[in-house]
């Protein structure tokens, strides 16, 4: 962040006027909260894209690396990898036999729902640090 120092100074100035002596503490709390949430989002996105990519490789989907990169992008912008995973599940059902397709479908659903279970864990950990 290029202008982090000037932004922090401006935020502290406003916070000191609004909250008095506790203004600095509020600014620091906001800074650590934003930083923790950003780390959580990026961490979960990385985990989801790696697991999705492993699933793509396991069933032999062409372009697995590119699809995993798209999953990473969609996870970072908080859409989730579900769009890509549903498309690949349909592809796997049309190309492979039923058993591997079902196993991949379960894996894909698990990967798509990781965000629902792991994000609260990261945020609870961030709150404990504060």
């Amino acid at each position: 962040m290029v202008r982090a120092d000037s932004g922090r100074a401006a935020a502290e100035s406003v916070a000191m006027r609004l909250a008095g002596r506790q203004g600095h503490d509020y600014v620091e709390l906001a800074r650590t909260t934003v930083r923790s949430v950003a780390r959580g989002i990026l961490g979960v996105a990385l985990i989801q894209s790696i697991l999705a990519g492993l699933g793509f490789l396991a069933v032999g989907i062409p372009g697995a690396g590119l699809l995993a990169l798209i999953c990473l992008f969609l996870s970072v912008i908080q859409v989730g990898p579900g769009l890509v995973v549903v498309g690949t599940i349909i592809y796997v059902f049309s190309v492979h036999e039923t058993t591997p397709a079902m196993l991949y479908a379960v894996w894909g659903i698990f990967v798509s729902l990781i965000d629902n279970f792991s994000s609260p864990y990261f945020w609870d950990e961030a709150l404990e640090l504060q």
Side-chain angles (χ1 to χ4, degrees):
M1 299 186 59
V2 177
R3 298 188 179 141
D5 292 332
S6 62
R8 181 178 177 193
E12 280 189 13
S13 173
V14 171
M16 294 290 271
R17 287 185 185 189
L18 294 175
R21 295 180 183 175
Q22 292 179 336
H24 174 73
D25 295 335
Y26 290 138
V27 169
E28 189 63 26
L29 178 65
R31 184 186 70 82
T32 56
T33 301
V34 168
R35 184 172 285 176
S36 297
V37 169
R39 284 182 186 166
I41 288 171
L42 293 176
V44 170
L46 187 63
I47 291 168
Q48 279 184 311
S49 63
I50 288 172
L51 292 176
L54 290 173
F56 299 155
L57 289 174
V59 293
I61 295 175
L66 178 62
L67 292 174
L69 185 64
I70 293 170
C71 285
L72 176 66
F73 175 73
L74 291 174
S75 295
V76 167
I77 64 170
Q78 297 293 289
V79 173
L83 297 171
V84 175
V85 170
V86 168
T88 58
I89 288 173
I90 293 169
Y91 171 78
V92 170
F93 268 101
S94 67
V95 174
H96 292 288
E97 294 181 12
T98 305
T99 303
M102 286 299 292
L103 290 174
Y104 177 71
V106 169
W107 178 258
I109 292 169
F110 168 72
V111 168
S112 296
L113 296 178
I114 285 176
D115 186 33
N116 298 333
F117 301 106
S118 59
S119 289
Y121 171 75
F122 282 118
W123 292 341
D124 286 343
E125 202 173 279
L127 291 176
E128 288 175 6
L129 293 176
Q130 297 172 9

